[in-house]
Amino acid sequence: MATLKDISNLEDIKLMVNTFYDNVRKDDLLGPIFNDKLQDRWAEHLEKMYGFWQTILFDVRAYSGSPFPPHKQLPVDKSHFDRWIEIFNTTIDTIFSGPITEEAKMRATNMAFMFNHKIEYFRNAENELRNASGKS
């Protein structure tokens, strides 16, 4: 069995991102949500993800912005984030191995946890506001 190399450059990040999102698009749970949200803007999304992961893994300032707001209104819950992590880890483990690969998996897991937590927080706050104002 060939030894997998670690993520070490932009080409590796592109391979990771493209392979991961190819798998997401085919997934029964996540595919419809991503495809509905992105529609014909997949190329733009993938470019953003290349920059995001360069910034996260290589400290290259290739991404600016806030990653959370576009996700805030998505129809997702913990099961979606669990599936996202499962696909991410399975995908990345088939292509790469090493400390930066492990860092990517840890960062992705932390991000999924944080996004899920924040989405639940905002939903609960919105529900409390609606209930407090007498609307249901």
Side-chain angles (χ1 to χ4, degrees):
M1 186 171 142
T3 304
L4 299 175
K5 72 181 208 83
D6 204 357
I7 300 167
S8 60
N9 57 41
L10 178 57
E11 290 311 307
D12 292 343
I13 286 175
K14 287 182 177 182
L15 177 61
M16 174 187 82
V17 168
N18 291 342
T19 307
F20 169 66
Y21 281 107
D22 283 348
N23 291 334
V24 164
R25 289 170 94 160
K26 292 181 244 171
D27 186 70
D28 292 341
L29 181 63
L30 299 181
I33 294 168
F34 275 87
N35 288 316
D36 181 57
K37 179 73 175 170
L38 293 172
Q39 296 177 8
D40 62 350
R41 296 186 320 277
W42 271 100
E44 177 187 325
H45 179 69
L46 295 175
E47 282 295 325
K48 266 189 198 157
M49 293 301 94
Y50 305 151
F52 177 80
W53 284 106
Q54 268 188 287
T55 301
I56 294 289
L57 297 178
F58 301 136
D59 204 25
V60 172
R61 296 284 160 239
Y63 174 86
S64 62
S66 301
F68 179 70
H71 298 84
K72 187 177 162 189
Q73 300 301 327
L74 291 178
V76 293
D77 59 30
K78 186 175 183 308
S79 66
H80 296 91
F81 286 103
D82 289 346
R83 182 72 184 133
W84 188 91
I85 285 300
E86 182 185 336
I87 294 170
F88 188 86
N89 289 343
T90 302
T91 299
I92 200 172
D93 283 340
T94 62
I95 315 171
F96 299 108
S97 178
I100 297 173
T101 302
E102 293 305 310
E103 173 81 6
K105 292 188 320 188
M106 185 209 52
R107 295 291 193 114
T109 300
N110 290 347
M111 229 176 323
F113 176 82
M114 182 192 67
F115 278 24
N116 180 58
H117 181 76
K118 285 176 86 169
I119 286 171
E120 285 181 359
Y121 174 84
F122 282 113
R123 282 189 189 143
N124 291 337
E126 286 170 0
N127 289 336
E128 286 176 20
L129 277 174
R130 271 197 296 277
N131 293 339
S133 65
K135 297 175 190 160
S136 51

